[in-house]
């Protein structure tokens, strides 16, 4: 395995406390590993715009549930609990996003993400609904790119039969974990 | 627009004879442009394995037809005609891949690509069907990654309302074009 | 084969330059051949009403794409290019009619044709949408009968495994063909 | 209304005891009326092959139930009761053909008819299943044409909002009617 | 078989003139038999609210048709004919409830019942539509409970392969039966 | 509220540590409350047969996930964790039961439960698959009744907008809880 990839994985393991299985799975193809995570970082670590870290994770949970991807739902559900400090929302969104305890702004965000996830035609009507909740065209782009990137990731996960690390299931469920930093 | 992106687009335009609309659309976000095309190149220009250039384009046509993406079906249909020197297969696959004039090997390749495209669980049975037609696990990975990458691309295309350049529709339909090089 | 059918097929071959495969396939049952083409002519060669020859072909392309019928999509796509002198619309409608470069009138026409194609209940609301684009009840009848007739034709084509003649794929794609008469 | 159509309708009314609503609805367009019933007669009154009159009606009931066509289900359900002298089968097929009290031969016939009805690709496997129950290629053609013709008829019925005559609902339900001739 | 169950079945047989097959099927598990019919009676024999006996049977027919349950469609279709004295409505609802000869009140009732039947999220909009036709929250509860109970019953019927008694098919189809009491 | 219902709810609250929301919701209709829980107890507390308490809860989680019922998935997921002492299985089954870490016996059990849940026709083939994993006809009945009962419960939950108590989300996730008794 190329040294840069070994190094990156060690870094992640130190920071997170364990190595998320996606890193090991993707390391089978070093060039694709680099391209995948470079793209992931561009989209997920973009610092401008109205999407919080928790918003981004919620989009991933909602769209990955449609694609029935255990890794993405469980791992990003854990990250959502950490970032949002809300221990139950990700589980609710996994079962039925429309019945989750979400603001109308968050529902509009997920409704748009799911239209992208389902490869629907995106029309002016979609943008107007987003705008009614304060999301401009750049925010729409951000939501769409996360939904599109995870449309890819969910399918890769199915191909490599990616399973969630045991740690993810319980992460962020209790108050004392709320302040801990996971990335 | 950053100079590296301008330069890359000029290069493409010179080589292809026109600038495919996807470049212009993605240039709105330079960092994403670079990540998207870097990833694309890693997957599509990989030179090892059993997938020919024409095979890769056929996978894109078949999966993009499921997602009803006009840009990807028309542009990659054109590339398929150029690479395969077969002027009618892409149109057949667009309407109904199972009724296209394909070898059983090509049908197995598309059947697997479409399982990935539809976010199905991928099982040993899938790999065995591929192996019966000479595709090993690395080839399966190649097919899956193209299907997964275009699951993302089709959704991005819907978001930016990407339309095919007029040139793509007629490209590669007549014998004299068969020898011409497009990449 | 009865003489009237032989004669009709020779006539078509002279006029079109080749014998479309549908004639050969249907000639297996002479009585059904006569009934099928008699009905086809009544609907398709009706000269009153607001549907142009190109409109009728576009309805066939859009509805046959839903039924994934290669013969009808490719053959009637060719006829649409000939009649409309627009070389790209049929390909667009084949992939995703809602994203084709169509007037709102043409979109309303196809939306109604697809409701009939999908065997939906037809209600006053459907007629009102058509009327808003200038189509009266008789035009609605014309659209519905084409969609219904090709609901039948597409299924017959699947049964006889009807494949498009090679000539159809490239017909009407270049300007010089635009003036040529095909029926 | 042209005299030939008036005459035909009077003849039907005398023979059946009432005028089935489909005649009145189609008479709005005399040329289409003639073409529709001419085609219907070629398919339904064909005397060769292994399909009984009751078989043909059962195919219509099963496929029209998929298309949710009240006229065709109720009217041809009545004709099935008359021809088969079995008062309950059509009702069973309307709800769930797989649970109807049918022979394996009849189930194979309906399974094939429904594949055509759903515009599925028809393959060698379909023909082999039919052959296992004694149906040859000509019988397959007969089944397919009835399913295809009623794919059209069901959609026309939805367009003209065709409703069953009251007489059809109770026809053939009691023993004394069993011997009566309806066509 | 416990005596209370034998007794109840004898009582039903005397009253109805035959023993509906559901009783025999459920008697295989006496404790479940008692619980099932006790629950059934609470819901179906509730005497308050705006649902008539015929309304309740129509809800069962419409929802059981979605679940393709022959027993429930045929048996409760018969009960609907008896209670409503309308010999054709149940058959219409079985094929296509939206095209049945129903008042807008009855259509609203069935639309809501089918939303419950399909396990849709139930929202304020559903209640408002019902209220526009005179159904309050308690009536909505009654409709929902019948739809939910038969979501269970239809699945039990599929499991035990429950078939309608021959008597149900013809019951209530002729005027003289209209006044007869069946429960 | 009738005293027997108040008393039962107090008993449950003492035993469980909180009152699950389903009790409060159903108490709106005392007679239905009694019938619902009586039937629930007959099915869920039946002591014979091969289904463990954990098996029964897993069937509820898998089928309620199909119906997207937050209450049933979350509450019975908690009960599954308690009974099985496996903290991650219910979450896995919620997202994608086929990818959960289950024995082939448990997969066969869920496959059958989901066939019932989806109102499929149940055939000899279903029973044979169960028998191959040691489940006899009585076990099949038990699985089917749970799936059918929760087909009803999920729909009732959607109607009353039932939401999981906060306690359920974290119950049984940590080792020390494993030994605690919840019913």
């Amino acid at each position: 395995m190329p040294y840069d990839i070994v190094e990156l994985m060690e870094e992640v393991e130190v920071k997170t406390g364990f190595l998320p299985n996606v890193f090991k799975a993707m390391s089978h193809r070093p060039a694709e590993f680099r391209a995948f995570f470079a793209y992931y970082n561009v989209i997920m670590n973009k610092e401008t715009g109205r999407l919080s870290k928790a918003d981004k994770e919620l989009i991933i949970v909602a769209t990955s549930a449609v694609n029935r991807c255990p890794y993405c739902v469980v791992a990003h559900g854990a990250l959502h609990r950490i970032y949002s400090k809300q221990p139950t929302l990700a589980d609710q969104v996994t079962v039925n996003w429309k019945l989750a305890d979400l603001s109308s702004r968050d529902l509009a965000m997920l409704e748009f993400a799911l239209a992208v996830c389902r490869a629907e035609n995106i029309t002016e009507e979609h943008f107007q609904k987003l705008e009614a909740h304060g999301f401009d065209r750049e925010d729409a782009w951000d939501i769409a790119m996360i939904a599109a990137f995870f449309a890819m990731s969910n399918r890769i996960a199915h191909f490599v039969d990616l399973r969630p690390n045991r740690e993810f299931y319980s992460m962020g469920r209790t108050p004392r974990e709320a302040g801990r930093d996971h990335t």
Side-chain angles (χ1 to χ4, degrees), chain A residues 46-78:
Chain A
K46 176 171 175 289
E47 302 211 337
T48 53
R50 286 175 185 81
L51 300 187
S52 69
K53 276 177 177 297
D55 288 338
K56 292 176 185 177
E57 300 299 338
L58 204 63
I59 291 167
I60 299 170
V61 172
T63 59
S64 300
V66 168
N67 293 324
R68 309 189 67 187
C69 177
Y71 183 84
C72 300
V73 169
V74 173
H76 293 277

Side-chain angles (χ1 to χ4, degrees), chain A residues 120-170:
Chain A
E120 292 178 13
N121 296 341
I122 302 301
T123 64
E124 273 305 302
E125 206 185 324
H126 286 106
F127 292 114
Q128 284 161 15
K129 278 192 186 176
L130 282 178
E131 278 160 25
H133 292 91
F135 294 111
D136 66 17
R137 299 283 164 132
E138 295 302 314
D139 299 320
W141 182 295
D142 291 343
I143 298 168
M145 291 304 138
I146 296 169
F149 187 87
F150 278 85
M152 175 176 67
S153 300
N154 294 163
R155 285 158 178 84
I156 295 176
H158 278 308
F159 173 74
V160 298
D161 196 16
L162 194 62
R163 303 295 174 96
N165 304 55
R166 179 157 287 267
E167 288 85 347
F168 283 126
Y169 291 91
S170 55

Side-chain angles (χ1 to χ4, degrees), chain A residues 66-118:
Chain A
V66 168
N67 293 324
R68 309 189 67 187
C69 177
Y71 183 84
C72 300
V73 169
V74 173
H76 293 277
L79 294 178
H80 181 266
R81 288 192 296 271
I82 300 292
Y83 292 137
S84 69
K85 303 186 182 177
Q86 292 177 302
T88 62
L89 268 180
D91 283 358
Q92 293 171 9
V93 166
T94 299
V95 180
N96 193 323
W97 68 277
K98 284 204 179 171
L99 300 183
D101 295 325
L102 294 170
S103 66
S104 63
R105 178 242 188 221
D106 289 357
L107 288 170
M109 178 182 79
L110 293 187
E111 186 174 43
F112 181 69
L114 288 162
V116 174
C117 167
R118 294 194 179 101

Side-chain angles (χ1 to χ4, degrees), chain A residues 1-13 19-42 71 149 152-153 156 160 162:
Chain A
M1 205 181 291
Y3 187 66
D4 63 320
I5 287 175
V6 172
E7 201 173 41
L8 189 148
M9 296 203 301
E10 285 172 358
E11 211 176 293
V12 170
E13 193 167 352
L19 183 66
N21 291 336
V22 65
F23 291 95
K24 196 174 160 193
M26 295 301 285
S27 72
H28 177 65
R29 292 264 182 104
E32 296 179 23
F33 179 107
R34 288 181 203 107
F36 178 88
F37 288 108
Y39 201 175
Y40 178 93
N41 285 330
V42 166
Y71 183 84
F149 187 87
M152 175 176 67
S153 300
I156 295 176
V160 298
L162 194 62

